[in-house]
Amino acid sequence: MGRAPPDHARIVIVGGGVVGSSIAYQLALAGEKDVVLLERGTLACGTSWHAAGLIMQLRGGHTTTEIASYNARFYPELEADTGIATGFKQNGTLAIGRNLDRVHEMQRRGSIAKSFDIETRMLTPSEVGALYPALDTKLVAGGMFIPGDGQLSPVDTVNALIKGAKMRGIRVFEETPVEGLQRLSGGEYRIEAPTHTITCEKLVLACGLWTRDLAAQLGARVPLFACEHMYVVTEAMDFVVPDLPVLRDTEGYTYMKEEAGKLLVGSFEPRGKALPVENLPSEPRFIEMQEDWDHFELPYSKAMQIIPELAQVGINKFMNGPESFTPDDLPCLGEAPGLPNCFIAAGLNSEGFEISPGISRALARWIIDGEPDMDLLDYDVARFHPFQTNRNYLQARVPESLGGIFEMPWPFKEHTTGRPARKSHLHDRLAANGACFGETAGWERPMWFASKGIAPKNEYSFFRPNWYEHTAHECRAARQAVVLMDISSFGKTLVQGRDACAFLQWMCVSNIQVPAGKLVYTHMLNSKGGIECDVTIDRLSEDCFMIYSSAGVHYRDLNWMQKHIASDQHVTLTDVTAAYSVLNLQGPKSRELLQSVTSTDLSGSAFPFLTAQEIEIGYAGIRAKRMTFIGELGWELQMPSEFVQDVYDIIIQAGGPFGLIQAGYHALEHLRCERAYREFGLDLAPDDTPFEAGLGFIVKMDKPGGFFGRDALLPQAGKTLNRRMVNFKLKDAEPALFHDELIWMNGEIVGYLSSGAYAFNLGSAVGMGYVRHPDGVTADLVNDAEFEIEIAGKLFPAEASLKPFLDPAGARVKM
């Protein structure tokens, strides 16, 4: 552009595609002027130029829909602001289902749409045919039309974003490839280009599929890998008129849109084609890969099934371009762990134009304020574990990620690729006993145990999956006898040092100044009083603590603590998860069973609830912790991993007379929902406070020195809140609950379920969700109101309570 970048800028964005340009625009709208955007080629030349440009507002959950739904409001505002046409038109999206399961899934999404005033229309096959006459409706079981969806022109949109940013003072430099990144001792970042070097206070990496390798120069973990993403553009077809809706045939793996009188047919086939970066052309601009009809044959044959005319029309263009995907089909967004003020915005899984408006607005606030202003847990780049940047793992997983865009989102759907990555020391024993494994953060974990003669294989359903009867057996045993679970995958962080106690006292809402051997369930908060970490702490000694986290958020918790250690504090954090295995023994007969294999007095007076002691089983020394996540008498038995096989064998052998059976993580989920125990990432998130969650009893507002986030909680302490967690139990014994089902109170929508499960010990499904009411959510309101839960468009009456439906006084855990 004939100009050299400045030597310094407050914020530098690397990448001039839709993500980088959207962030630049949002920063400009927020008043940031000292911003530089660097693009190595020309704007949108990476992957944005070949995007299909589809715009959809609705996702499978409330938090992700909140991000996506902003697009339909944003793009008209962008055109009005800049005067540049983006090609945005709201011709609507028509999603079709070839079977009733898919129609049910659409109906569930239609319920979510009501929370955001997104218009949706469920259609019969004949109504689908009237809206899209070219379809063979004999293959259609139903459909859903979303009028506010549509499409746009990708390159024009990037140009509009850049103009809007430049109008407000943002400087943009094309033909400026970034070759090197370095973090300086003072905390700034140094960006090296062939002819220039620039430093900045805040760095944003929005480089698409190239982000992984560039971020690695700073030590950042960004698990991305490319796949070939294909579409074709047909010759002109008579039915393809400008207002033709975008068609989504997910069972056929295809989407179709109008393209100047022609039909663009793209796919998210069941298994994508991985593309290592080194196999990309040396010129990284406007990349087009070779046609691959062998790979595209399956989706295109499905397209010809649903639109027979396609069999008679020629192909004008075969486009094959690279797109980057993540291991879980969700973006990498936020501050890179261990790199203050280095932000990642990549891995949009071929949905950049759909969600860039929402994520760029959210990230702009994060960059400016230093923390998010909304729940971004699903997208937070800190969620990934170190092994997930492994190239072999990514190359195995991302083809499934591409297919996952259109795959049926079954409840508890498990990945099948990139496995096994991490196994507990009991894996082979559990497999021999019928375990059906699932995967979390790479850990192979038993989800349920098949009885003899039954294959441990999942058959998914929105109603009664095949593991229900097995999980029901495990859940009943947990309440009536005793169960054993391998929970070794839970994260374990050793916090040590002279200032360890003072650090945790400041970070946690509870009192951590307790005797050694005391267990403390607690939260760590952000500055707004929202919950960032949900952990249990075991004080081992004066200056040594063990913190237990859920496996999926362990590294996020570790990063949250690490970033808050002051420079003058003597505190070290060590991940010791793999060093220790944990057996979870739970149920009313757990004391009798455990007492039969150890000489330690396990009576209630000698071993109270929420305490830990050293005991012996066999030749192993064990840290026994009397705690529970299911609401029963029980112990978590932690030991060095090399001892766990013998301890497991001893307990299994001793368990027969006590009715011991093994249980999996499905049972854990159903049991904790029966007892209304909250789970981070579902019921607890950074925009929920402990008081709203009904967990105010753990908050010590008066502890000496206070705690981080206390000031934000002051307005809620001791007050009636207009947002509060409420427990629900369906009056109908048949339906199942999972999450995101709408809560109706006296005929109005007042919230949605954050989690739900069938309560086998109560005889119907239960759920938890935050209810809003302007006059406050009180026990009288909850007890007197009429509640219903909406499942896929149907309302089911429900009981409601601020207390758990099972053991509301908590007597069982203190036996």
Side-chain angles (χ1 to χ4, degrees):
M1 299 181 69
R3 297 179 295 122
D7 294 333
H8 179 83
R10 172 171 153 76
I11 302 171
V12 170
I13 302 167
V14 182
V18 63
V19 181
S21 59
S22 293
I23 294 167
Y25 182 74
Q26 291 292 342
L27 286 170
L29 287 179
E32 291 288 334
K33 298 187 181 301
D34 190 10
V35 179
V36 167
L37 183 147
L38 305 177
E39 164 55 47
R40 68 176 170 188
T42 56
L43 296 169
C45 74
T47 59
S48 294
W49 72 276
H50 62 70
L54 306 183
I55 301 301
M56 292 183 56
Q57 305 167 78
L58 193 54
R59 290 293 185 275
H62 279 78
T63 54
T64 49
T65 297
E66 184 177 0
I67 290 283
S69 61
Y70 176 52
N71 57 34
R73 303 193 306 275
F74 172 76
Y75 285 119
E77 294 171 355
L78 177 64
E79 287 195 12
D81 179 44
T82 64
I84 293 183
T86 64
F88 178 66
K89 60 180 180 180
Q90 291 176 295
N91 48 326
T93 294
L94 173 61
I96 60 170
R98 296 192 183 206
N99 55 60
L100 293 179
D101 280 329
R102 183 62 76 171
V103 173
H104 179 82
E105 185 264 336
M106 293 176 190
Q107 291 169 330
R108 292 183 67 90
R109 293 197 182 211
S111 290
I112 292 171
K114 295 175 184 177
S115 293
F116 299 92
D117 294 323
I118 299 173
E119 181 184 357
T120 63
R121 304 175 199 162
M122 293 304 302
L123 305 177
T124 65
S126 61
E127 291 171 331
V128 167
L131 188 60
Y132 207 114
L135 292 178
D136 182 356
T137 56
K138 295 192 298 295
L139 300 176
V140 177
M144 180 170 69
F145 183 57
I146 307 177
D149 287 353
Q151 61 190 74
L152 49 66
S153 167
V155 174
D156 290 339
T157 300
V158 171
N159 288 334
L161 290 164
I162 292 296
K163 180 180 178 182
K166 292 168 71 174
M167 285 165 45
R168 294 169 173 85
I170 307 298
R171 290 167 288 178
V172 178
F173 298 90
E174 298 179 86
E175 305 297 340
T176 309
V178 172
E179 297 179 338
L181 296 174
Q182 181 184 1
R183 185 165 184 246
L184 304 178
S185 58
E188 290 194 333
Y189 291 90
R190 175 186 174 96
I191 302 113
E192 297 177 358
T195 61
H196 202 81
T197 297
I198 180 173
T199 60
C200 65
E201 301 163 33
K202 300 188 178 187
L203 175 65
V204 183
L205 300 180
C207 322
L209 61 90
W210 295 274
T211 305
R212 174 188 179 273
D213 291 343
L214 193 60
Q217 294 186 20
L218 296 170
R221 302 189 302 268
V222 186
L224 302 178
F225 207 89
C227 283
E228 298 181 30
H229 187 45
M230 307 172 194
Y231 63 74
V232 299
V233 180
T234 70
E235 296 175 342
M237 304 178 75
D238 290 340
F239 76 88
V240 184
V241 294
D243 62 350
L244 184 73
V246 174
L247 182 69
R248 281 171 55 91
D249 176 18
T250 49
E251 295 301 314
Y253 322 122
T254 57
Y255 59 87
M256 306 177 204
K257 74 156 191 171
E258 181 270 341
E259 183 90 350
K262 308 175 182 66
L263 197 64
L264 184 151
V265 182
S267 74
F268 290 103
E269 60 274 18
R271 284 291 183 271
K273 186 178 178 183
L275 177 62
V277 172
E278 58 268 23
N279 292 354
L280 289 170
S282 57
E283 172 52 59
R285 312 181 199 194
F286 302 105
I287 295 173
E288 291 193 53
M289 309 298 295
Q290 188 173 9
E291 295 181 6
D292 189 343
W293 275 106
D294 288 340
H295 189 80
F296 198 66
E297 179 183 6
L298 173 62
Y300 200 71
S301 65
K302 294 284 189 178
M304 289 189 291
Q305 285 178 358
I306 204 72
I307 300 182
E309 289 183 47
L310 284 173
Q312 311 301 322
V313 70
I315 302 300
N316 192 321
K317 170 75 175 176
F318 189 119
M319 179 64 212
N320 183 6
E323 295 276 4
S324 63
F325 293 83
T326 64
D328 58 5
D329 273 329
L330 294 170
C332 299
L333 191 72
E335 192 173 40
L339 292 168
N341 293 317
C342 176
F343 295 89
I344 307 297
L348 272 62
N349 302 286
S350 197
E351 297 180 311
F353 286 88
E354 294 183 29
I355 62 176
S356 279
I359 68 165
S360 62
R361 181 176 63 166
L363 188 63
R365 293 311 329 163
W366 195 339
I367 294 168
I368 295 167
D369 300 337
E371 64 181 13
D373 65 349
M374 63 181 299
D375 177 9
L376 294 174
L377 275 177
D378 289 339
Y379 294 171
D380 191 347
V381 67
R383 72 188 183 273
F384 292 110
H385 287 229
F387 86 94
Q388 291 180 292
T389 57
N390 178 282
R391 289 170 57 85
N392 295 324
Y393 166 78
L394 289 170
Q395 188 162 351
R397 171 58 64 84
V398 296
E400 183 181 5
S401 295
L402 182 146
I405 301 295
F406 273 8
E407 192 173 37
M408 181 75 82
W410 296 113
F412 303 105
K413 179 76 172 64
E414 294 287 349
H415 288 103
T416 60
T417 60
R419 297 176 60 184
R422 308 164 85 179
K423 296 180 182 179
S424 87
H425 287 244
L426 295 175
H427 184 273
D428 292 348
R429 281 169 165 76
L430 299 171
N433 280 282
C436 182
F437 292 94
E439 176 259 331
T440 296
W443 285 103
E444 295 292 318
R445 313 198 303 181
M447 302 306 294
W448 58 280
F449 286 83
S451 53
K452 190 172 182 179
I454 302 295
K457 183 179 179 181
N458 291 326
E459 295 175 11
Y460 298 107
S461 170
F462 286 106
F463 308 102
R464 292 289 188 275
N466 69 316
W467 64 77
Y468 255 39
E469 61 179 283
H470 304 278
T471 298
H473 178 57
E474 296 167 18
C475 289
R476 293 183 184 116
R479 301 284 183 221
Q480 299 167 12
V482 58
V483 295
L484 183 67
M485 304 177 183
D486 176 15
I487 59 170
S488 302
S489 63
F490 273 62
K492 309 167 197 75
T493 302
L494 203 60
V495 184
Q496 302 174 90
R498 180 188 64 227
D499 301 313
C501 186
F503 168 70
L504 291 175
Q505 272 288 75
W506 172 245
M507 292 300 297
C508 298
V509 301
S510 307
N511 180 24
I512 310 302
Q513 187 63 269
V514 296
K518 178 65 176 174
L519 304 174
V520 181
Y521 168 62
T522 190
H523 294 155
M524 300 182 198
L525 309 181
N526 53 43
S527 66
K528 300 178 178 65
I531 301 166
E532 291 287 348
C533 303
D534 176 65
V535 298
T536 300
I537 300 178
D538 179 3
R539 186 167 196 176
L540 304 177
S541 65
E542 181 179 353
D543 58 2
C544 186
F545 300 79
M546 186 78 84
I547 295 188
Y548 302 92
S549 304
S550 296
V553 297
H554 171 221
Y555 267 89
R556 187 180 182 279
D557 287 353
L558 198 156
N559 176 63
W560 181 260
M561 289 186 286
Q562 188 69 59
K563 71 187 291 187
H564 286 92
I565 298 175
S567 59
D568 61 347
Q569 283 186 314
H570 190 281
V571 180
T572 61
L573 307 179
T574 309
D575 175 18
V576 295
T577 301
Y580 295 98
S581 295
V582 182
L583 295 176
N584 191 21
L585 195 67
Q586 298 283 322
K589 295 184 179 180
S590 60
R591 177 180 283 124
E592 298 172 69
L593 171 52
L594 189 58
Q595 191 69 80
S596 73
V597 296
T598 187
S599 60
T600 302
D601 184 354
L602 302 177
S603 64
S605 57
F607 205 141
F609 182 54
L610 290 180
T611 63
Q613 295 183 31
E614 302 294 330
I615 70 171
E616 294 178 351
I617 299 177
Y619 301 138
I622 291 172
R623 183 74 170 178
K625 298 166 290 170
R626 190 175 163 194
M627 57 189 296
T628 182
F629 193 49
I630 69 170
E632 290 294 333
L633 171 69
W635 281 263
E636 293 183 4
L637 308 174
Q638 175 185 299
M639 67 211 77
S641 289
E642 63 267 27
F643 289 99
V644 72
Q645 292 180 353
D646 285 337
V647 173
Y648 169 88
D649 291 343
I650 290 170
I651 292 175
I652 290 293
Q653 185 174 7
F658 305 99
L660 175 71
I661 70 166
Q662 298 186 78
Y665 277 80
H666 282 321
L668 190 67
E669 177 69 5
H670 288 259
L671 290 164
R672 71 100 186 166
C673 284
E674 285 183 348
R675 186 60 182 82
Y677 283 157
R678 282 59 159 157
E679 182 173 329
F680 188 75
L682 292 173
D683 314 299
L684 308 173
D687 53 3
D688 305 320
T689 73
F691 292 122
E692 292 172 334
L695 299 174
F697 62 90
I698 71 171
V699 180
K700 306 306 179 186
M701 294 294 290
D702 58 351
K703 75 172 178 176
F707 53 85
F708 184 58
R710 177 183 180 276
D711 290 348
L713 291 186
L714 284 173
Q716 292 189 354
K719 303 294 195 306
T720 297
L721 307 179
N722 59 17
R723 180 178 184 267
R724 181 76 160 75
M725 177 69 79
V726 177
N727 305 309
F728 299 94
K729 179 178 178 292
L730 295 185
K731 296 180 180 179
D732 188 329
E734 286 303 310
L737 294 172
F738 302 103
H739 55 78
D740 285 289
E741 295 89 350
L742 295 186
I743 302 168
W744 290 76
M745 183 178 74
N746 298 333
E748 295 183 359
I749 297 172
V750 294
Y752 61 91
L753 296 187
S754 52
S755 63
Y758 201 89
F760 296 108
N761 292 290
L762 296 174
S764 66
V766 294
M768 293 173 272
Y770 290 93
V771 169
R772 294 181 180 273
H773 194 275
D775 298 327
V777 181
T778 64
D780 288 342
L781 174 76
V782 171
N783 293 335
D784 295 341
E786 294 291 329
F787 283 94
E788 296 168 298
I789 306 298
E790 180 175 334
I791 306 173
K794 297 181 180 179
L795 297 180
F796 294 87
E799 299 176 49
S801 173
L802 293 179
K803 295 182 178 181
F805 290 100
L806 188 144
D807 189 23
R812 299 172 73 96
V813 303
K814 300 173 184 177
M815 292 171 58

